[in-house]
Amino acid sequence: MSIQVYNVLSRQKEAFTPLNPELVTMYVCGPTVYDVPHIGHAKTYVSFDVIVRYLRFRGYRVRYVQNITDVGHILDTGEDRILKGARRERIEPMEVVERYTRAYFDAMDALGVTRPDISPRASAHIPEQIEMIKQLIADGYAYEVDGSVYFSVEKFPGYGKLSGRHVEELEEGARIAVRDEKRHPADFALWKKAEPEHILRWPSPWSWGYPGWHIECSAMSTKYLGETFDIHGGGVDNIFPHNECEIAQAEAATGKPFARYWLLTGSLTLNGVKMSKSLGNVLNVAEALKKYSAQTIRYFILSSHYSNPIDFSDAAVEAAAKGLERVLTPVRAVRDRLRAAPASDDGADFAAVLAAHRAALIEALDEDFNAPAALGILNQLTTDVNTLLNSGQSIGRSTLEAIDQLYRDFGGQVLGIIPDTFTPESNFELVDGLVRLLIELRKEARAAKDFKRSDQIRDQLAALGVMLEDGRGGTIYRLTK
């Protein structure tokens, strides 16, 4: 079965077929580096990290490009975000860029997000942006007014095909401040003439100025991935106008389709409210990592499909921490037992169980990278592994290695929630031994018909997060915390 993706452009699920059977070309809109990365960035980039990881797991080479916006991201006020950050901190604009580019990569590294293959900066690709703008003017899609250049949305019939908006419905003031010099309120800036005090500016055929926000992604994505490439990703908040403008610019300039599959992540709220500096409710990644592990944050993000919205709250993340621990417990146990695993193997027939889980995980992730379904299957695997570990069978090295490999493949390599090693070393052997001792004492109490004592052991273990389950093969336990 091939990978199926929901293509926002076509508004339907499609079989994923890359242009090159051996290479997936993928572009994701990166951060504007004017402040520290927040938990909303984590939601987007962890989601695309799993998509890239899974494509590679399935045998594709992936060329993953994610830009760094260090100029041209214009606010509704007409102000560049980088310059706003420079004024806020009273430093040079490029100091802002360097400071927060490092902060972004540090945060993503801490979350286990694989770095893109190419991270081009907008300011380093001014010539490419100017050349694309010159082409758009020559072909009649753009016009120059007093040193600024605007894209004429009325000249591009496909404008609105991604977001579903129509030109005649667009209101004035969409993202970029309206100016009388524009022919249509929805026309957007390709190049802005700089005011004398504007620090970030470059020479161009039209004026000393700087590029608009949207042109950088069209220019850089096509430079590194070709005029038509496979996947374009980003957050749903940028579908209009940013992604819409990217398509218009690129397709008008090249005459070819831009990105073939559009995958957009849902938004993240904080305690039910959209994050906003004005509300003072922005949670940055560094602060979140002081409270929760990187694996816990990833587990929380992946508990919702990448395209769905998600609400970050202490209760939700603590629930994710418990879910993660349920998965990590048997992983620690398996790795601990591998240190002195016997050659004989009473659990050899477990291979069929593992094969079924592997097939189910592939099926889930093939279905539009369904991480929540994959987590559910990992939890089912955990139940089966716990049952095997508590069965009293002699489990040999080959079975333990096969279990560990399945967890490493999907929990580690693909989802990034299971570490290669645990630090500090697990104390599973101690915990396992104590729980088994209590299970044996409970068994003796039941044999002696001391049911009060038996129930007391069961209830006290439950209060500690150890759930006992009695069955024909004896009593097994699982951790609930």
Side-chain angles (χ1 to χ4, degrees), residues 104-115:
Y104 169 72
F105 282 118
D106 286 347
M108 294 304 109
D109 290 346
L111 289 170
V113 173
T114 307
R115 289 205 178 191

Side-chain angles (χ1 to χ4, degrees), residues 143 145 150 172 177-184:
Y143 58 92
V145 181
Y150 297 94
E172 294 194 2
V178 175
R179 289 194 177 187
D180 294 336
E181 63 193 22
K182 295 200 294 185
R183 296 176 184 173
H184 187 282

Side-chain angles (χ1 to χ4, degrees), residues 147-170:
S148 292
V149 182
Y150 297 94
F151 186 93
S152 177
V153 296
E154 293 178 299
K155 294 294 181 76
F156 185 74
Y159 193 78
K161 63 183 177 181
L162 182 68
S163 64
R165 300 194 186 195
H166 302 288
V167 171
E168 58 272 15
E169 298 172 354
L170 300 177

Side-chain angles (χ1 to χ4, degrees), residues 175-439:
R175 179 64 104 176
I176 297 177
V178 175
R179 289 194 177 187
D180 294 336
E181 63 193 22
K182 295 200 294 185
R183 296 176 184 173
H184 187 282
D187 290 352
F188 57 89
L190 299 171
W191 187 264
K192 300 285 285 184
K193 180 181 179 180
E195 301 298 331
E197 68 276 7
H198 200 100
I199 300 173
L200 294 175
R201 56 180 177 167
W202 291 262
S204 79
W206 316 286
S207 65
W208 275 83
Y210 53 95
W213 174 27
H214 316 302
I215 191 68
E216 65 171 277
C217 287
S218 298
M220 293 191 294
S221 60
T222 54
K223 174 181 175 67
Y224 294 108
L225 300 176
E227 294 174 330
T228 302
F229 56 92
D230 294 314
I231 296 173
H232 194 306
V236 70
D237 291 348
N238 284 337
I239 190 172
F240 185 86
H242 182 58
N243 298 147
E244 201 70 75
C245 295
E246 285 183 77
I247 294 173
Q249 296 163 156
E251 295 189 355
T254 67
K256 297 178 182 179
F258 184 43
R260 300 169 64 238
Y261 302 93
W262 283 80
L263 311 182
L264 301 179
T265 58
S267 57
L268 179 142
T269 54
L270 187 62
N271 296 312
V273 180
K274 183 176 180 179
M275 286 193 295
S276 168
K277 285 186 177 295
S278 61
L279 296 176
N281 70 332
V282 176
L283 176 64
N284 67 53
V285 173
E287 289 298 319
L289 285 169
K290 290 178 182 177
K291 193 169 186 179
Y292 303 107
S293 72
Q295 289 80 19
T296 294
I297 294 174
R298 288 182 71 101
Y299 191 102
F300 162 74
I301 291 169
L302 300 178
S303 65
S304 174
H305 191 268
Y306 74 84
S307 63
N308 292 338
I310 192 169
D311 184 55
F312 190 103
S313 67
D314 285 338
V317 184
E318 285 165 6
K322 292 178 181 178
L324 174 63
E325 187 57 33
R326 281 195 293 270
V327 173
L328 294 182
T329 297
V331 178
R332 293 189 187 99
V334 166
R335 293 181 186 177
D336 283 341
R337 291 195 182 192
L338 267 169
R339 295 171 187 162
S344 59
D345 197 346
D346 294 341
D349 57 351
F350 201 66
V353 175
L354 295 177
H357 283 302
R358 180 175 290 274
L361 284 161
I362 290 173
E363 183 179 359
L365 291 164
D366 275 354
E367 191 66 20
D368 199 17
F369 312 104
N370 195 334
L375 289 178
I377 295 162
L378 280 180
N379 275 285
Q380 295 168 18
L381 169 64
T382 291
T383 298
D384 290 339
V385 171
N386 278 332
T387 300
L388 176 66
L389 295 178
N390 293 319
S391 67
Q393 298 182 64
S394 174
I395 307 169
R397 175 166 292 276
S398 60
T399 295
L400 292 171
E401 286 177 342
I403 295 170
D404 186 42
Q405 191 60 53
L406 187 56
Y407 278 119
R408 287 182 185 277
D409 286 348
F410 291 93
Q413 184 179 344
V414 175
L415 300 179
I417 60 170
I418 297 177
D420 287 337
T421 58
F422 290 97
T423 305
E425 287 296 318
S426 159
N427 61 354
F428 173 80
E429 291 179 356
L430 173 62
V431 173
D432 181 62
L434 290 172
V435 172
R436 289 183 179 280
L437 174 60
L438 289 169
I439 289 174

Side-chain angles (χ1 to χ4, degrees), residues 80-98:
D80 188 299
R81 285 182 182 268
I82 302 300
L83 292 178
K84 182 180 179 181
R87 277 192 290 272
R88 179 190 67 225
E89 302 189 20
R90 298 181 179 181
I91 57 177
E92 286 290 322
M94 284 298 112
E95 285 184 79
V96 171
V97 167
E98 292 300 326

